[in-house]
Amino acid sequence: MKFFSGRKKTGKEEKKKQSALREWVDACIFAVIAGTLIRTFLVEAFVIPSPSMEQTLLINDYIFVSKISYGPRIPNTPLAIPFTQASLPFFKSLKPYSTAVQWPYYRLPGFGNVQHNDVVVFNLPVGDTVLRDPSGGDVNYYQELHKENFPPPDIRPVDKRATWVKRCVGLPGDTLQIDANMVCINGVEQPLPAYSQHRYQLYSNECKSLPDSLKKALQLDENWRVLNADSSSYTINLTTVAVKKLKGTRYAIEPLLQNEGNRDSRLFPQDFSYHWNEDYFGPIYIPKKGATIVINHENIPLYYRVIATYEKNKLDTTNGTIRINGVPATAYTFKMNYYFMMGDNRHYSEDSRFYGFVPEDHIVGKAVTIWFSFGEGSIRWRRLLSGIK
């Protein structure tokens, strides 16, 4: 049964009700537009999902990334649902963007350029083609080519590829080499970031019962310590700060490195002629826009993706001749700048040692601030609003 008030609503009251609804709609539209513009051109928030940058950045550090540090990119795919990336949260199979309109790479002026040791957020270069596992998660297409139990690959534009964060150790035009885990640029050994982690062997007869004070001082995490078979040593990840604290104590430490010349088949450029591993890598020239290099069958594995994928040339290396766009070639001039990225957790990081150069059009911005951090069941208060170095 309906009850009536006995009087009709006036036109003024109906208009007032409609105006209130209109205000809410207008406010929502304004918020979406403003948020999209801020996220595209000024600053964007990210969360750290992996330990590859420990101890500089920890899992569940929430960071702000400055787009104006290097200049904001114009989106490649302007037709997209705001605040989404490659898929929708609960509908992994649906794409929240359309490739009907695609804009070429263009970057607005910024405050500067990428510098050595900047912590940079970028789109994953090998994220151009991904596979999906049964749960809808991304799988590296280039590492799983031999498998047949995946659906057709997902081809993604640059701005919809996965976003990663690493430290820039090599700039365009640099010649980089990793020698005994030390990065050398143009023959000069580079200082280690203060809180970068490296693998060491720690010796002591007391390894089964390290004092809690020492564990706290070294910021040891049980997940990253392995007791070796002789029960007198640990394989352990330590920061450079922790190593300094151990010097002069009764605990002996030494770097734990792979043997020079031992080939790691996972590493770039995945070619049998390159016997590189995580601790001994290069030398390798990092492409610079406008620079011309000699290309041959010995070095073409290093620059194949640069020439064919990132700079969109037709490259043919069969029949003993290198052909670019159908023309025999002995040299190549680069169209973009490229960078070499590494994680601070040097022995637990999938970085440019695995997937090669990061093109300039993949650079998202500079990681500048940790605005929130959560771990071990509580807020990490000391990390809030701290700068990233």
Side-chain angles (χ1 to χ4, degrees):
M1 179 179 292
K2 295 183 178 179
F3 294 91
F4 295 92
S5 64
R7 75 178 182 89
K8 295 175 65 175
K9 290 184 179 179
T10 65
K12 188 175 181 181
E13 288 173 326
E14 289 183 357
K15 186 176 180 181
K16 184 177 181 180
K17 183 177 180 180
Q18 291 175 355
S19 298
L21 178 61
R22 178 65 181 272
E23 286 177 3
W24 276 102
V25 172
D26 289 347
C28 290
I29 293 174
F30 175 80
V32 169
I33 293 174
T36 300
L37 291 174
I38 291 171
R39 186 173 182 262
T40 302
F41 297 105
L42 296 178
V43 67
E44 186 173 357
F46 289 89
V47 61
I48 303 301
S50 76
S52 68
M53 283 295 289
E54 290 184 343
Q55 295 284 328
T56 304
L57 295 173
L58 306 180
I59 293 176
N60 289 332
D61 274 352
Y62 291 76
I63 65 173
F64 280 136
V65 175
S66 168
K67 301 290 185 73
I68 56 177
S69 292
Y70 310 133
R73 293 181 305 180
I74 299 300
N76 301 117
T77 50
L79 302 180
I81 298 174
F83 313 116
T84 61
Q85 195 64 20
S87 61
L88 293 171
F90 302 104
F91 303 95
K92 297 290 186 179
S93 60
L94 298 179
K95 293 184 179 181
Y97 62 90
S98 170
T99 56
V101 177
Q102 289 189 281
W103 293 340
Y105 166 65
Y106 182 76
R107 189 180 296 275
L108 297 173
F111 291 146
N113 300 312
V114 180
Q115 301 296 320
H116 285 118
N117 292 316
D118 282 359
V119 178
V120 180
V121 172
F122 56 92
N123 294 110
L124 179 64
V126 292
D128 58 342
T129 307
V130 299
L131 299 169
R132 290 295 185 88
D133 61 24
S135 65
D138 290 354
V139 177
N140 190 318
Y141 168 80
Y142 299 98
Q143 293 179 357
E144 305 293 339
L145 286 173
H146 62 286
K147 295 187 178 180
E148 300 178 355
N149 59 336
F150 287 100
D154 182 10
I155 312 298
R156 296 175 179 173
V158 172
D159 62 343
K160 296 303 177 184
R161 297 170 191 175
T163 48
W164 286 29
V165 57
K166 307 291 179 188
R167 188 178 297 275
C168 179
V169 297
L171 296 177
D174 285 344
T175 296
L176 176 142
Q177 183 171 10
I178 301 172
D179 185 11
N181 195 37
M182 297 299 297
V183 175
C184 299
I185 298 296
N186 303 323
V188 179
E189 189 174 285
Q190 303 299 297
L192 293 171
Y195 290 97
S196 61
Q197 289 193 150
H198 307 265
R199 188 180 297 139
Y200 290 88
Q201 198 87 9
L202 186 149
Y203 298 93
S204 172
N205 292 328
E206 304 174 8
C207 272
K208 285 188 176 181
S209 57
L210 290 177
D212 290 339
S213 58
L214 179 62
K215 293 178 183 178
K216 184 175 181 180
L218 300 182
Q219 297 182 342
L220 295 186
D221 182 344
E222 294 287 344
N223 294 324
W224 305 114
R225 295 187 295 139
V226 178
L227 184 64
N228 297 318
D230 60 7
S231 300
S232 64
S233 66
Y234 275 120
T235 298
I236 184 172
N237 276 8
L238 293 174
T239 65
T240 52
V241 173
V243 171
K244 290 179 181 178
K245 290 180 179 179
L246 279 171
K247 287 183 178 179
T249 69
R250 62 181 180 275
Y251 301 100
I253 58 169
E254 64 180 30
L256 188 59
L257 305 173
Q258 300 181 54
N259 293 326
E260 186 175 7
N262 280 7
R263 177 176 176 269
D264 188 335
S265 61
R266 302 170 302 158
L267 263 60
F268 177 80
Q270 290 91 36
D271 187 278
F272 286 101
S273 61
Y274 289 86
H275 294 270
W276 295 350
N277 56 53
E278 290 177 89
D279 298 315
Y280 293 91
F281 187 98
I284 185 172
Y285 173 77
I286 303 171
K288 181 178 182 179
K289 183 177 180 179
T292 301
I293 63 165
V294 173
I295 55 173
N296 50 48
H297 284 280
E298 284 70 39
N299 69 359
I300 198 65
L302 299 175
Y303 303 107
Y304 192 100
R305 278 184 63 82
V306 169
I307 298 171
T309 303
Y310 306 140
E311 302 196 351
K312 298 178 173 58
N313 296 286
K314 184 178 180 181
L315 178 60
D316 181 9
T317 60
T318 59
N319 301 321
T321 302
I322 297 174
R323 295 178 179 273
I324 299 176
N325 300 321
V327 180
T330 57
Y332 183 77
T333 301
F334 298 109
K335 301 174 185 176
M336 282 195 296
N337 287 318
Y338 293 81
Y339 302 87
F340 199 94
M341 308 291 183
M342 288 180 67
D344 283 1
N345 196 352
R346 293 289 170 84
H347 290 98
Y348 203 83
S349 172
E350 189 172 335
D351 47 40
S352 285
R353 292 171 293 180
F354 292 81
Y355 45 74
F357 311 111
V358 176
E360 66 175 72
D361 65 347
H362 285 54
I363 301 295
V364 175
K366 182 178 181 180
V368 291
T369 305
I370 301 169
W371 62 272
F372 183 74
S373 184
F374 184 87
E376 299 178 358
S378 63
I379 297 174
R380 301 185 186 113
W381 293 103
R382 61 183 178 83
R383 298 185 67 79
L384 267 59
L385 300 179
S386 59
I388 298 172
K389 298 180 180 179

